[in-house]
Each structure stands twice: as structure tokens, then as C-alpha cells.
Amino acid sequence: MLKGITILLAFFLGGEFIAQLFAWPIPGSVIGMLLLFVFLWRLGSLPPALKSAADSLLPFLPLFIVPASVGIVNHFYLLQQDGWLLVVAMVLSLLLGIPLCGLLMQRLLKVRTKRGAE
Amino acid sequence: MHWQAACSALWQSPYLGIFLTLLSFQLGLFLYRRSGAQPWLHPVLVSVVSLCGVILYTNLSYERYMDSAYFLSQLLGPAIVALAVPLYENFKLLRRYWLAFTVSNLVAGAFTVGLAVAIVALGQGSEVSVNSMWTKSITTAIAMEVAPGIGGVAALAAALVMFTGILGSLIAPALFKLFNITHGAAQGTALGVCAHAVGTARALEMGSLQGAFAALSMSFMGVLCALLLPFLA
């Protein structure tokens, strides 16, 4: 597992390095994730060390987002000011977005299946 | 005995923030499991709300809490990199569905984000709120990394993603029934685009196909938004 964590950190630092090098505003972690994905894809298999590191780290992902989320205590004024507007925006985009995405995908899948049958 | 000195040393300990985070998260996990995995009792929500309570009602400031809990935050970066592993494992499922998947993600993702941002902007919401809304279709971990770069606030972005995730998971089954959305891959993708990690947990309960597609579209939207938003928003 330690080996896998070392590999993850290497890709993370590589991503940070690339983001800095080209002065991209993209998070280094996302670049690192893409690099690792491409690496696995080229490799064509998943090294067990990496698998066990990911399996031991990922269940704790929700825990890692807690400390920064608590920072909302310093931004309560935003919720007081725009709270209702934010709620309306999210509720509407959910009520319309979920059916749109589901129906669109289902329709596209049916078109494909029909073509395959012909 | 030096009660006062001992108590104040405990309160000043650099481990206090880490301990309180773990403790509140345990409480969250306990409630979540006890309730039969109710989305509105998500461990992150319970943990964040109780920690906010501690910070508001005691003399522990957020800054001092964060000095200690910073260690946990730091693990977020390597954990995001690790998301490449489940993405790689699920990727072969896309071979049959990639076109429908890509089109649905692009269209529905652009629609839900665009609509939400437009409502906040037209409703005269503050600039910070508008900027934080841009990240609403990214999974929380990545949203928190993207938001500060586009003039938003990480904590507000997290709150918005969390809210959509929980509400989306609650109403999605009814919407699927109402609109007759029965295909597992379509259900999973809709949950992944609109309700992210909480939705993916929900999708896994519906079936492995739903779960895999929710995870795929969560990663797809996360990466796409992280790459595009810094240049668009």
C-alpha cells in the first residue's frame, strides 16, 4: 500500500508541477488524476499496489473535504444574503436537469440499439 | 492537581481539530447507518454542521481549528489523483455507450450549470455566489479546488454541491418514475451529473450499472469542468 501511496503522491506532485510550469489555473490534483488515468490506460492493467492504495484512501475522501467545508462559518453572510436565490437555482436546475439528462441518454441509447438490430 | 492547566492544554492541543473532525464524522457515520443511509443524514453534512456549532458556540476559532485539521485537508489532493483508479476500472463500460454518454453529459451538464448560474446572476446574487455556483456540477472534492481559482469560495461551493447531491438523491427516483426513465445507464448518468457523490451512493443502491455510470459521469463532469471553468467563468 505504501508503494501505491508513493505513486499517487508522485502523480499529484507531477500535476502540481505541470500546473505551475504552464501557469494553468487548473488544480494540480486533477492534472495528476488525468496523468494517472492515461498511464493506466497505456499500461493496460492495474498494478495491485495502486489498487490497494486507492481502495484504502478513497473511502476517506468525504472525511478530507470536511475541514475546508467548515469554512462556511466565515461566510454565513453569503447564505443570509443569497440563500433563497441559491436554493431556487439548485432546485430548478435539478427538477429540469435530471429528466433532461435521463431522457436524452435513454433516447440516444434506443436509437443506437435500433440501428444495431437492423 | 492542575485541572485548569490540564484542560487548557487539552483545548490548545494541535491535535484538537483532527480529533473533533474524526469524532463528528464518526457521529455522522453512526447516524447515517442507523437511519438506513438517508441522504439528508450524510456523514459529511452531520460532521460539518456539528463542527460549525462548536466553532460558533465556543471560543475555538475556525482559524485555530483549521491549523490542526489542515492535515486532513492535505490528503484531498492525493485522494483526487486516486479517483483515476475507479475511472479506469469503469472505463471499459463506456465502449458500448460512449457517444450517448458524452452527449448527455455535455448537454445536461451545460444546461443545469447554465440555468443555476443564470438564476443567481439574474436574481442579483453577489459575485461570489455566482462564481461558486459555476462548480455545482463537480464532485465536492474537485469543486473545492476549482472554486477559489474562479473567484468563488471553496466552502460555499462545497455547501452547494452537497445540497444538490442530497436533494437530487431524494427526488431522482420520483422523477425517473414520472418521466419513465428506466434504463440503468441513463438513471446512473442523470444521478452522476446532477447529484455527484451522494447521487453515486444512491445509484449504487439501485444497481451496479447505475453505480458505474454515476461514477463515470461524476468523474467526466469533474474533469471537464476543472479544465474548462478556469478559462470560461
Side-chain angles (χ1 to χ4, degrees):
Chain A
M1 190 192 111
L2 202 55
K3 197 173 150 197
I5 302 265
T6 314
I7 300 173
L8 287 179
L9 270 175
F11 275 94
F12 174 58
L13 289 175
E16 297 268 274
F17 180 77
I18 290 175
Q20 292 290 326
L21 187 65
F22 298 100
W24 282 341
I26 301 165
S29 53
V30 175
I31 299 177
M33 175 194 168
L34 282 174
L35 289 176
L36 179 59
F37 176 73
V38 171
F39 171 77
L40 288 174
W41 194 36
R42 301 302 304 166
L43 195 67
S45 71
L46 183 58
L50 213 47
K51 168 82 179 150
S52 80
D55 282 347
S56 47
L57 202 56
L58 284 177
F60 299 113
L61 189 65
L63 176 68
F64 303 153
I65 65 177
V66 169
S69 306
V70 177
I72 197 78
V73 286
N74 288 341
H75 299 282
F76 275 145
Y77 69 95
L78 277 176
L79 292 183
Q80 273 167 351
Q81 204 182 305
D82 297 333
W84 280 112
L85 194 59
L86 295 170
V87 169
V88 168
M90 284 185 296
V91 170
L92 275 180
S93 77
L94 273 176
L95 283 176
L96 298 172
I98 292 179
L100 172 74
C101 185
L103 286 175
L104 180 65
M105 175 113 175
Q106 189 159 273
R107 189 66 53 88
L108 290 170
L109 289 172
K110 270 181 192 152
V111 170
R112 195 189 167 285
T113 332
K114 255 184 211 158
R115 257 198 225 145
E118 272 163 19
Chain B
M1 300 244 248
H2 305 284
W3 282 100
Q4 216 177 346
C7 287
S8 112
L10 197 63
W11 193 245
Q12 298 295 331
S13 166
Y15 293 92
L16 185 73
I18 298 179
F19 174 68
L20 289 177
T21 311
L22 290 175
L23 188 70
S24 63
F25 200 78
Q26 291 298 325
L27 172 76
L29 276 177
F30 172 77
L31 292 175
Y32 185 65
R33 286 179 187 147
R34 257 302 166 84
S35 69
Q38 286 293 330
W40 55 274
L41 276 176
H42 195 277
V44 172
L45 183 68
V46 172
S47 178
V48 169
V49 169
S50 39
L51 288 167
C52 285
V54 171
I55 287 167
L56 287 175
Y57 294 106
T58 69
N59 65 7
L60 178 71
S61 68
Y62 175 65
E63 285 65 31
R64 204 156 72 71
Y65 161 78
M66 195 54 176
D67 273 344
S68 163
Y70 189 61
F71 165 73
L72 291 172
S73 278
Q74 293 253 291
L75 294 170
L76 194 57
I80 291 176
V81 176
L83 285 172
V85 171
L87 181 62
Y88 170 75
E89 288 181 304
N90 285 328
F91 202 65
K92 39 188 165 305
L93 277 176
L94 276 187
R95 217 166 277 163
R96 280 178 60 201
Y97 301 119
W98 68 272
L99 186 62
F101 175 83
T102 311
V103 172
S104 312
N105 268 285
L106 290 177
V107 173
F111 174 79
T112 78
V113 176
L115 180 66
V117 170
I119 292 174
V120 179
L122 291 174
Q124 315 276 318
S126 69
E127 213 182 317
V128 180
S129 298
V130 176
N131 291 337
S132 306
M133 191 53 106
W134 276 109
T135 60
K136 81 165 273 290
S137 267
I138 319 183
T139 181
T140 326
I142 301 180
M144 295 180 89
E145 302 251 57
V146 174
I150 57 171
V153 167
L156 182 62
L160 295 177
V161 176
M162 203 67 214
F163 181 89
T164 353
I166 292 172
L167 190 68
S169 304
L170 287 172
I171 63 175
L175 288 172
F176 291 155
K177 200 173 261 178
L178 185 67
F179 289 93
N180 203 19
I181 298 162
T182 49
H183 199 295
Q187 293 180 337
T189 305
L191 273 166
V193 172
C194 297
H196 331 291
V198 191
T200 302
R202 188 77 179 177
L204 268 170
E205 288 170 19
M206 296 179 178
S208 60
L209 186 66
Q210 282 89 335
F213 270 89
L216 277 171
S217 72
M218 187 176 84
S219 309
F220 183 84
M221 287 300 297
V223 169
L224 192 72
C225 292
L227 295 181
L228 290 180
L229 282 180
F231 301 101
L232 289 178

